[in-house]
Amino acid sequence: MSSSFWSSSHCRYWLTTRPAILAARQTDLRYSTPKQLYCLYIFFAQLIQKLGKRLLLRQIPIATACVFFRRFYLKNSICETNPYLVLAACVFVAAKVEETPVHIKSVVSEAKVVFNEHNIKFFPAEPNRLGEMEFYLLEDLAFHLVIFHPYRALLHITGREPADSGKFPLSRVDEDLAIRRKEAEAKKKRDDEARRASHLPPRPGSVSVAQQSAAATVAAKDLGEDGTLGESEPERIRRLMGRGSGEGIMEIDEGVLQISWFILNDTYRTDVHLLYPPYVIALSAVYIAFCLTSMNNNSASRTRTSSSQLHTLANSMSTNEALSLPPPPASAAEFLAGFQVNLPILFACVQDIVCLYPVWETFEPTSMRHNPAAAAAHASPAHAQTHPNGQQQQQGKTSKDNTEKFGPEEAAALVRRMIEERMVDMGHPNNAGKSDKRSNPPTGSLGNTSHGVDPLTGRKRARR
Amino acid sequence: MTAATTSSSAMVDPMHYYRAKRDRERRTVLKTYKILGFISSGTYGRVYKAVLLPSPKTSSSTTNKGTLPSSTRAALSIPKEKLPSPTNTSTTSSSLSGSSLDPLHNPELCMRPGDLPAKEGEVFAIKKFKPDKEGDVLTYAGISQSGAREILLNRELQHRNLVSLREVILEDKAIYMVFEYAEHDFLQIIHHHSQTTRTPIPSSTLRRLLHQLLCGVHFLHSNFVLHRDLKPANILVNSNGVVKIGDLGLARLWHKPLAAGGLFGGDKVVVTIWYRAPELILGAKHYTAAVDLWAIGCIYAELLALRPIFKGDEAKMDGKKTLPFQRDQMGKICEVLGPVKADQWPGIVHMPEWKTYQTSGPYPNPNPLPTWYHNRSSSAQGYDLLTRLFEWDPARRLTAREALAHPWFQEEGGVAAKSVFEGSSVTYPTRRVTHEDNGDAKMGSLPPSMAQPRLPSSSNFRPASATITHAQPARKKTRI
């Protein structure tokens, strides 16, 4: 499973489509605008991140928790659950799954601190409730707990880690040499026997071939001269390339890798992990990183600073030459074109990632992003107040949407309001129809909501 | 009225509705399976033999459920369901169209994606994890790390030589894992030969048992999973003679980000003492898949000799923080393999317990293994395989892939037969299932007076699985 994404539960059951996601969010969209809902998911991802950091978790468990959270809400609605309890449970389970378990009591106490910072009073700070939520969460995740993250794919693509790590006893070059050596020895044996039969002394050159096993290039060249080998050239290339070892690919600048990595961290604020396999997400991040660096500096992708690429990779040029394989790609475009990826899917993913940034910026301006104290100072208790009348409130929401700021404090208030309204509607099912009508948000600047269009670009229309 | 509700500071808990909805959807263990009896228990909980019940025949009552009048619904205190959510309406309509297609009322259908389909009357082994208790009250304290691992790995991994998981049911604060049922296990086969027939295991059976075990372990290893608790009791054989590796409670992925201190940081003690590799005994902080291969060597020897080859006494922790050196176990290994020589394992001098090890001994017999082996078998290839599995240096020990290619498996007709029992005249007894279960009123089916006395599963006292007993000797539950 962990070796093969294709047979995993992640691949088989948990990659979905945009329409399916939208269908799952219909109830929530009655009580919020698409943009607000998008921001709420950013908000929750941020809370998961903060809670994870407080529990000293690394990025992978945090990322797993984010994916669990989004998967949970493919089957549920924010307004019909307590998202803070759910996200704490996601962190709790993810820590176990990623083999860095944390105690249930520390999750509860740290979650309390994080939520207090945001003035969220809606979290039951009892281990028992968290443990109970864990059970329900596992059920809704269908007990599928292994998540494939794009970080590994990114390292493979950029050659920082061979995709076959540990699977093959020899490196590609060594394996090739060993096979050629064996074949050469067999050939020499045949030749010797033939010569002995014809009473000719052995040629000294062929002995040296057998002995110079260590000198890679020399041996390869000599053997190349020898010509006739057991394996045909296309077979050989297929064998060498089929390992996916990452050897012989383009050198990728440390800066590009670093940017790609940060982009991947940001993708956990989007839906891409429900939509695309990890390698597509990783390639998208590399693509965006290439675009960003080439905008700043045309030669960035070719300048090598302190590269952490594998040694064999750093010499990929000479390696490929030694193996008489085609040279590694010279440009980013050529490099990306070398991957057999469906381009429309890749660019859909790129767009889904790029779309995050403007919304995120308005939700949490960069100046405030890493400063929870400043954010907390802005929180005014007035926002927590709910309007007594649903109709009025809806109007207020609409006007706020276009004119007023929507930040974390407003997000916390909205969550509370959504749940309250939903509970009222559920208690009075006869009014449900009315609330349906009322909560169809008017089409604002953000696009055509009645078609379930993504708030950000109206890109949905293009995809249809 | 709406205004009053919204403005009141006490908010309605949405989780109440959520839980009610999920509880309603859940299929319970006892409505799905009939418990036939109790198989075994451990620190984790208990295992029961169970049979899948047919779907309720009374179709009238099930169809009624969908059209239950709201008054009845209220009387039964079923929370109101008239939610305008699209998902809800779709489930309602499907349950109306035919109740037999509703997985809730048809146990043969799968509740969740990834569950395995099954037929009425099929037999399963249900592993119930002990629910947490505070005093006498059941509480949720979080599922254990081993429970989480077992769920996570068994939900992903499917292989002929791995016990398959049909479904997981959460109920009454306990986890029930429904596994395929296997009639035999290595321990029971060994016991049958040593106690009842008093004959060695037929060599063709032995070869296939080991080969299929290696196939399963190779599958685990190629998926980056270390089993870490291979022992005869954990390796099952079903009635068709197919080996099934069970109990992944100690298993883990080795590429996962490591806890501080590597693999060691997560679980201080792994592998049951008699099957524990020398690098673990010598305190290695970083170990590899080779620990599983050592255990397979021990199992191979036990299949040959019908008793554990290295039957050491376990040194207890005595409440100290530091793990004791397992001197007796190491001594038992050296008595059979002879003392370690530096050229056999160059890395040994870097082992944390190397100095402690040097104080043990002396072992007069330099290498008694050939004699040990030739008293039991005459195959030179078989001996070669055993010595390569008992390689001191973990880097030189055979890997599962290499072991599978060993020529011994090609001897005497090889291992092509699907069933390990093929060609053997021995019939093994079926798994002992009792009604005695005083620990769990819910699952127990007979009063204790009618219960048969339960015999220990082997004449040997078997040490329990490593982590639970030894990492937490004071039985102090670490809840994570």
Side-chain angles (χ1 to χ4, degrees), chain A residues 75-100:
Chain A
K75 293 188 180 168
N76 297 289
S77 304
I78 292 172
C79 61
E80 290 177 3
T81 54
N82 179 343
Y84 306 112
L85 183 61
V86 173
L87 79 84
C90 287
V91 172
F92 181 46
V93 176
K96 271 189 267 208
V97 166
E98 303 297 347
E99 294 285 351
T100 46

Side-chain angles (χ1 to χ4, degrees), chain A residues 157 241 249 283 328-329 331-341 343 346:
Chain A
I157 289 168
M241 302 302 274
I249 61 163
L283 262 186
S331 70
E334 203 186 315
F335 170 73
L336 288 168
F339 291 92
Q340 305 268 316
V341 179
L343 282 184
L346 180 68

